[in-house]
Amino acid sequence: MAKTVSKNILQILIILIFNNFLAQQAPEKLTKNTVNDTIPKQDTIVFKKEPLESVLQTKADYNRRDFQKKMIYLNKNAQVKYQDVQIDADYISIDEEKSLMYARGKQDSLGRYIEPAVITQAGKKYETDEFQYNTKTKKAIAFNARTEESEGVIVAEKTKKYNDSVFAMRRADYTTDDYFIKKKDTTADYFLRASNIKLIKTKNKSSIISGPIQMYIEQVPTPLIMPFAILPFSDKRSAGILIPSFGERQDVGFFLNGLGYYQPIGEHFDLKILADLYTKGSWNLRPEMNYVKKYRYSGNFSADIGTAVRGIKGLDDYGKTSTYRIAWRHTQDTKANPFLNFSASVDIVSTKFYNNTLNNNYILNQNVLNTQQNSTVTITKRFLRLPATITGTASYSQNFATGLSDLRLPQMNVAINQFYLFKSKTGTRTGLLENITVNTGLNLTNFVQTDEGELFTAAMWEKMQTGLKNNIALGTNTTIAKYFTFSLGANIDNALTTKTVRKYYDPITNKAVTATDKGVAGYSTFSTTASIQTTLYGQANFKKGAAIEAIRHMITPSIGFTYSPDFGGAGFGYYRNYYDVNGALTPYSIFEGGIVGTPSSGMVGALGFNIGNNVEMKVRSKKDSTGIKKIKIFESLNLSGNYNFAAKDHPFSIITINGQSSFFDNKLSLNTSLSLDPYKIIYLPGQDTGIRTEELGGFSVQGFNVQLSYPLSSELFGEKIDYSKKYQTKGEVRNENYYFDDDNYAHFDQAWTLNVNANYAYTKSYASRTPTRLASVGLDGSIKLTPFWNINASTHYDMVTKQLAYTRIGFARDQRSFTINFNWVPFGQYKVYDFFIGIKANILSDALKYKDRSFTQPNAPF
């Protein structure tokens, strides 16, 4: 026992002596400078800088520290926090001597990564298989790193971080596939692959800059290869190059369409400059500028300036045509100024622009079929206290068929708000006098019709006409015997113009000559009307239990008398006479062809009538909660005409009948019109022009028109099937449910629509024995083969010429992150097919797309 105690005491003494020795020798080993017994002259003591600038926090399920190698090992649910960096991984090692951290994701038994390591810095997360970080230099290297930026994600084989702003990536893929980003799928449906990518991050924005980059769809490489790409990730607008579409047109060759550059200008403007280039020498330049000021106005300006070259130089088919188009749209916010509004819709093109267009979009959207182009600039002024509205307009209308243009510059209209002529004595207006309303206004117009070559030349200003018109409309009404509405009205027109016409016979040329006289001239006309109207109801009831319970007929008859004097009399001076080439005395109006119109000739004392009808039917219906359903047989059926007591011949007018109705729950829309001539028309043998006799009873059809439209859809035929109850096996693709039968065939709603439009028009007059007929049927429909495949088509068939008119066939495929569209026009003057692939994400919607188009010359074999 004593020996044991002595032995323990000896061991303790040896340990104490050894520790005392180490304490004395440690400062010499750990520091290069020995500490003197006296304090040096410096008032501070310099220590060696620590390798870590901040506290290093670690945790893990298992951790181990190797003091000799100065290493820390963390296993299972490992986490390291250092400054603004947090690393979560399955395994982390820390080399204190080299200031290096290494992290690795979770692996399975075969060494495959099944969970990534996650690095979080400044709130931004990065996922990687392996990660190495230098705490001194702040540089890092990651393998198979996944970086999310804005609407997309980048997965790179190797990523090197130079600093917090610059990342270099090798063999990187970029995609905006939402399913891949949210990890609903392990493979992106498309991605852009580049050998080298640089990611630049700043405080407010980030961007990708890459070298050659190729598009892959379902991991299959496509021919879309860009020499470089710049993708800005920012809420602010960024400048950049716009990628063109490419294809071939038989008349002008292969092309690049839409090659350009986008440049934001300040806060309110941006500019795009696009170019269309063709291998046969054609070119087109398209500047486009948009502008907007919030709560004030917005608009855009665009132009097409180019030269179309067709054929081979030196041959007969060679042609070179310069074209242009200028367009401007401006819209003012209604909140900006309720009393002053300015708007513009300007579209001016050269006469042959659509026949020689180099902008392929005009062919696909059918603008090439335009026969007329209109432009308008309008400014409207309203007043707080004055009951008037002033509207100034400048308009320009081009007719491509005639080559003539109508220019109104300027045109001003002053409209006075409707007012009552007399005040009410009791507060409630009664009687004819207290209900008299007045509507009036002024209209000033400067008008000229000219061709493109004369526009804004002295010849155009010489032909311009100026006119001023004033209209005063008086009206009043009252109730008679409770059931009748009696109305009175008067209409006064006053007009002034700066030019009139004078006609005479020139014996030298043996022609009738129309000369223009300059000078102010005018006319005044008036007319009065009196009418009475009532409403009659009739109903036929059927026995109980019958399919038809009742038919209701509402009739709205009205009769009125109109009077206006003969303003063609010599006393007014509005009409004159001249002798034509046959020596016949012919009357004409000096205002003929003018912008203020021509005063009526011949006295009018006409008694007119109008009979309006509305017919509805009540039928039994199990689908309706009341058990009764209303069906409109005729929404309106109107019969109208008049008899002119003052007419010297043919006092009866043409009788017109107009009808409108809808059937099958208002799906089928039907509109009809019929014109009947009450007088007999005879045609002499060998003559095409008929003679309208004074004999009544002919009632020949002068015009007949039927318009029918019926939208069909899958919902109209049968009830919607509940596949979840009918089939037990269920599958899901992109949040769409598919149900499978016993034979493993998928079932889903195949929605379809088919709009049927038919039109028939018949026109005939006594001036021609042969009538004119127009008949066409149009079909416009779509069907969803699958929830993401859609086929659509439209066509029109002319039943008179027995030919198909404009026909278009197309299909669309909705992928997860991009769309595919194909459109084909197989017939007509312009034959075209168009193929398009476009990314849905906003950042790539304009920059990344593939288009292939082919156009053939008119009447060329397809």
Side-chain angles (χ1 to χ4, degrees):
M1 181 69 179
K3 291 182 178 180
T4 303
V5 173
S6 301
K7 185 178 180 181
N8 292 338
I9 293 173
L10 180 62
Q11 289 177 347
I12 291 172
L13 290 174
I14 292 172
I15 292 172
L16 291 174
I17 293 170
F18 183 73
N19 286 341
N20 184 48
F21 176 77
L22 289 177
Q24 292 176 358
Q25 295 298 320
E28 295 180 2
K29 292 181 179 180
L30 297 175
T31 60
K32 294 181 180 179
N33 299 324
T34 58
V35 181
N36 298 326
D37 292 339
T38 59
I39 299 175
K41 294 182 180 180
Q42 292 91 341
D43 58 356
T44 59
I45 299 175
V46 179
F47 293 96
K48 182 182 178 182
K49 187 176 181 181
E50 293 290 338
L52 295 177
E53 298 178 358
S54 179
V55 177
L56 182 70
Q57 301 178 22
T58 64
K59 69 176 182 178
D61 293 349
Y62 307 97
N63 59 73
R64 183 172 64 89
R65 186 182 184 96
D66 190 329
F67 288 96
Q68 185 176 1
K69 295 182 180 180
K70 296 182 180 180
M71 293 288 296
I72 299 174
Y73 302 97
L74 307 173
N75 279 283
K76 304 298 180 184
N77 298 316
Q79 185 183 88
V80 172
K81 292 183 179 180
Y82 178 69
Q83 293 183 341
D84 65 339
V85 177
Q86 176 179 316
I87 303 174
D88 294 272
D90 184 64
Y91 169 81
I92 298 176
S93 65
I94 303 172
D95 190 330
E96 294 179 317
E97 185 174 6
K98 296 181 181 179
S99 302
L100 288 177
M101 296 184 191
Y102 172 79
R104 185 182 66 216
K106 188 176 181 179
Q107 296 176 310
D108 60 10
S109 59
L110 299 177
R112 295 175 299 190
Y113 288 96
I114 56 177
E115 288 185 12
V118 180
I119 298 92
T120 306
Q121 183 177 23
K124 189 74 175 178
K125 288 186 178 181
Y126 306 91
E127 296 181 359
T128 179
D129 291 346
E130 298 180 71
F131 175 74
Q132 184 173 291
Y133 179 66
N134 191 309
T135 58
K136 279 187 177 180
T137 63
K138 305 292 180 69
K139 294 182 179 180
I141 296 178
F143 297 91
N144 294 324
R146 177 188 176 108
T147 306
E148 293 187 15
E149 291 293 335
S150 186
E151 300 179 63
V153 63
I154 308 170
V155 179
E157 186 178 276
K158 183 177 180 180
T159 302
K160 186 173 183 180
K161 175 188 174 185
Y162 290 98
N163 51 54
D164 291 343
S165 300
V166 179
F167 298 77
M169 303 177 182
R170 187 180 69 187
R171 193 169 174 79
D173 297 338
Y174 174 78
T175 183
T176 58
D177 182 3
D178 192 56
Y179 271 65
F180 181 74
I181 294 173
K182 294 179 179 179
K183 298 183 180 179
K184 295 181 179 179
D185 197 342
T186 57
T187 305
D189 63 348
Y190 92 96
F191 56 83
L192 303 174
R193 174 167 291 175
S195 299
N196 294 283
I197 285 181
K198 179 179 283 189
L199 173 63
I200 300 176
K201 299 170 65 70
T202 62
K203 184 178 180 180
N204 298 321
K205 64 179 181 179
S206 59
S207 61
I208 286 177
I209 302 173
S210 81
I213 189 167
Q214 185 177 13
M215 184 177 183
Y216 284 69
I217 295 179
E218 300 295 351
Q219 298 185 321
V220 177
T222 70
L224 181 57
I225 303 175
M226 295 176 286
F228 65 92
I230 301 175
L231 302 178
F233 304 111
S234 173
D235 294 334
K236 296 183 179 180
R237 300 166 298 160
S238 301
I241 294 175
L242 300 176
I243 306 301
S245 61
F246 56 91
E248 181 189 6
R249 277 176 53 176
Q250 182 176 343
D251 54 345
V252 289
F254 294 95
F255 65 79
L256 288 176
N257 195 256
L259 174 66
Y261 188 81
Y262 172 81
Q263 177 65 56
I265 305 173
E267 183 180 356
H268 305 292
F269 295 85
D270 64 14
L271 176 66
K272 280 195 298 186
I273 299 180
L274 305 172
D276 305 325
L277 305 175
Y278 296 84
T279 55
K280 291 186 179 181
S282 300
W283 61 271
N284 190 43
L285 191 65
R286 294 188 277 140
E288 299 179 11
M289 185 179 69
N290 297 286
Y291 59 89
V292 61
K293 191 168 184 180
K294 199 171 183 180
Y295 305 122
R296 299 288 293 177
Y297 53 79
S298 62
N300 63 80
F301 171 84
S302 63
D304 285 76
I305 304 170
T307 299
V309 178
R310 287 180 171 81
I312 301 175
K313 193 172 185 179
L315 300 181
D316 294 338
D317 63 345
Y318 178 78
K320 188 174 182 180
T321 307
S322 297
T323 61
Y324 68 86
R325 174 182 178 266
I326 299 173
W328 175 37
R329 302 288 185 273
H330 180 91
T331 303
Q332 180 178 307
D333 195 309
T334 55
K335 301 175 183 178
N337 191 337
F339 299 105
L340 184 64
N341 182 270
F342 176 79
S343 64
S345 177
V346 177
D347 207 329
I348 300 174
V349 302
S350 56
T351 304
K352 297 181 179 180
F353 175 80
Y354 288 124
N355 291 333
N356 298 276
T357 183
L358 292 171
N359 187 343
N360 298 328
N361 295 325
Y362 298 133
I363 298 178
L364 291 177
N365 62 20
Q366 302 184 56
N367 276 0
V368 291
L369 304 178
N370 289 354
T371 59
Q372 190 163 318
Q373 197 87 347
N374 299 313
S375 302
T376 305
V377 177
T378 304
I379 182 169
T380 303
K381 174 64 179 176
R382 299 177 180 87
F383 301 91
L384 181 61
R385 299 183 183 278
L386 294 178
T389 301
I390 301 176
T391 303
T393 305
S395 64
Y396 181 66
S397 178
Q398 298 174 260
N399 190 314
F400 302 131
T402 62
L404 299 177
S405 302
D406 295 343
L407 177 65
R408 297 180 184 272
L409 183 68
Q411 180 173 334
M412 185 181 70
N413 179 268
V414 181
I416 307 299
N417 297 347
Q418 178 180 287
F419 61 91
Y420 287 93
L421 192 61
F422 300 103
K423 293 183 178 180
S424 174
K425 297 179 180 179
T426 62
T428 302
R429 297 188 177 276
T430 58
L432 292 174
L433 291 178
E434 291 186 359
N435 281 298
I436 295 178
T437 59
V438 181
N439 290 275
T440 186
L442 291 171
N443 186 278
L444 174 66
T445 304
N446 292 278
F447 170 80
V448 65
Q449 188 176 77
T450 184
D451 56 32
E452 187 176 4
E454 289 184 347
L455 198 62
F456 297 111
T457 63
M460 187 202 78
W461 298 115
E462 180 67 22
K463 294 192 299 183
M464 179 166 282
Q465 304 177 51
T466 300
L468 177 66
K469 289 194 73 173
N470 163 250
N471 174 264
I472 302 173
L474 304 174
T476 184
N477 64 80
T478 188
T479 302
I480 300 176
K482 295 183 180 181
Y483 303 109
F484 297 91
T485 301
F486 178 69
S487 302
L488 289 175
N491 195 77
I492 303 171
D493 284 318
N494 301 293
L496 291 174
T497 184
T498 56
K499 292 181 180 179
T500 56
V501 298
R502 176 170 45 90
K503 292 186 177 183
Y504 61 92
Y505 170 70
D506 187 353
I508 298 177
T509 59
N510 193 29
K511 292 182 180 179
V513 179
T514 301
T516 302
D517 292 335
K518 296 182 180 180
V520 178
Y523 67 83
S524 295
T525 63
F526 73 91
S527 62
T528 60
T529 60
S531 64
I532 189 169
Q533 176 181 308
T534 190
T535 303
L536 305 174
Y537 296 93
Q539 182 166 315
N541 297 315
F542 299 90
K543 64 180 180 180
K544 288 186 177 182
I548 301 175
E549 288 201 351
I551 295 178
R552 193 189 75 157
H553 185 193
M554 182 179 71
I555 306 175
T556 309
S558 65
I559 188 170
F561 184 80
T562 301
Y563 169 78
S564 65
D566 181 11
F567 295 103
F572 290 100
Y574 305 152
Y575 283 81
R576 297 177 185 175
N577 298 313
Y578 78 101
Y579 290 97
D580 60 14
V581 293
N582 297 320
L585 190 64
T586 306
Y588 73 95
S589 172
I590 62 173
F591 301 100
E592 189 176 295
I595 60 172
V596 295
T598 302
S600 60
S601 63
M603 180 183 295
V604 176
L607 181 66
F609 67 93
N610 183 81
I611 302 175
N613 297 270
N614 177 276
V615 182
E616 293 182 348
M617 181 171 58
K618 289 183 178 181
V619 298
R620 296 177 61 84
S621 175
K622 295 181 180 179
K623 296 181 179 180
D624 198 287
S625 59
T626 62
I628 299 174
K629 181 179 180 181
K630 288 185 178 181
I631 296 177
K632 296 178 180 179
I633 300 177
F634 285 106
E635 293 183 27
S636 64
L637 181 62
N638 300 320
L639 173 67
S640 61
N642 66 75
Y643 181 86
N644 189 0
F645 292 95
K648 297 180 180 179
D649 54 16
H650 303 105
F652 282 101
S653 69
I654 299 291
I655 298 173
T656 59
I657 302 172
N658 295 293
Q660 180 181 352
S661 190
S662 58
F663 306 96
F664 306 111
D665 294 328
N666 298 324
K667 297 293 184 181
L668 175 62
S669 177
L670 179 66
N671 293 276
T672 61
S673 63
L674 176 66
S675 300
L676 300 174
D677 191 338
Y679 296 99
K680 289 184 178 181
I681 299 174
I682 61 174
Y683 293 91
L684 298 177
Q687 293 187 5
D688 190 50
T689 303
I691 300 174
R692 192 183 187 203
T693 67
E694 293 287 344
E695 185 180 353
L696 292 172
F699 293 102
S700 59
V701 177
Q702 299 298 296
F704 177 67
N705 181 271
V706 177
Q707 293 180 338
L708 181 146
S709 63
Y710 191 31
L712 300 172
S713 67
S714 55
E715 297 180 358
L716 296 177
F717 297 88
E719 297 181 357
K720 190 174 182 179
I721 301 175
D722 189 351
Y723 293 102
S724 62
K725 296 180 179 179
K726 189 174 182 179
Y727 305 104
Q728 296 180 352
T729 307
K730 175 184 176 182
E732 182 177 334
V733 178
R734 293 173 55 195
N735 296 329
E736 284 286 345
N737 292 325
Y738 294 79
Y739 297 91
F740 299 89
D741 57 22
D742 295 337
D743 297 323
N744 291 324
Y745 283 98
H747 294 266
F748 46 84
D749 289 330
Q750 289 184 296
W752 59 268
T753 62
L754 179 62
N755 297 318
V756 182
N757 298 282
N759 180 52
Y760 177 79
Y762 174 95
T763 305
K764 184 180 180 182
S765 67
Y766 64 90
S768 176
R769 185 191 295 264
T770 305
T772 301
R773 292 183 177 88
L774 297 174
S776 64
V777 176
L779 300 176
D780 183 0
S782 66
I783 182 173
K784 301 194 76 167
L785 294 179
T786 72
F788 304 104
W789 273 104
N790 185 64
I791 295 179
N792 56 81
S794 63
T795 186
H796 289 81
Y797 179 74
D798 192 325
M799 292 185 291
V800 176
T801 61
K802 301 186 182 306
Q803 291 181 348
L804 282 173
Y806 182 81
T807 299
R808 180 186 60 83
I809 303 170
F811 71 80
R813 169 65 178 173
D814 180 13
Q815 297 293 110
R816 290 197 312 228
S817 50
F818 63 92
T819 58
I820 301 174
N821 292 288
F822 175 80
N823 288 286
W824 179 32
V825 180
F827 314 114
Q829 181 181 7
Y830 297 97
K831 303 179 182 71
V832 52
Y833 76 83
D834 171 59
F835 183 71
F836 170 81
I837 298 178
I839 306 300
K840 293 180 183 178
N842 292 331
I843 187 173
L844 296 176
S845 59
D846 289 329
L848 186 63
K849 55 191 175 184
Y850 171 82
K851 276 192 176 183
D852 184 21
R853 288 176 176 164
S854 175
F855 298 89
T856 57
Q857 291 178 337
N859 302 322
F862 186 81

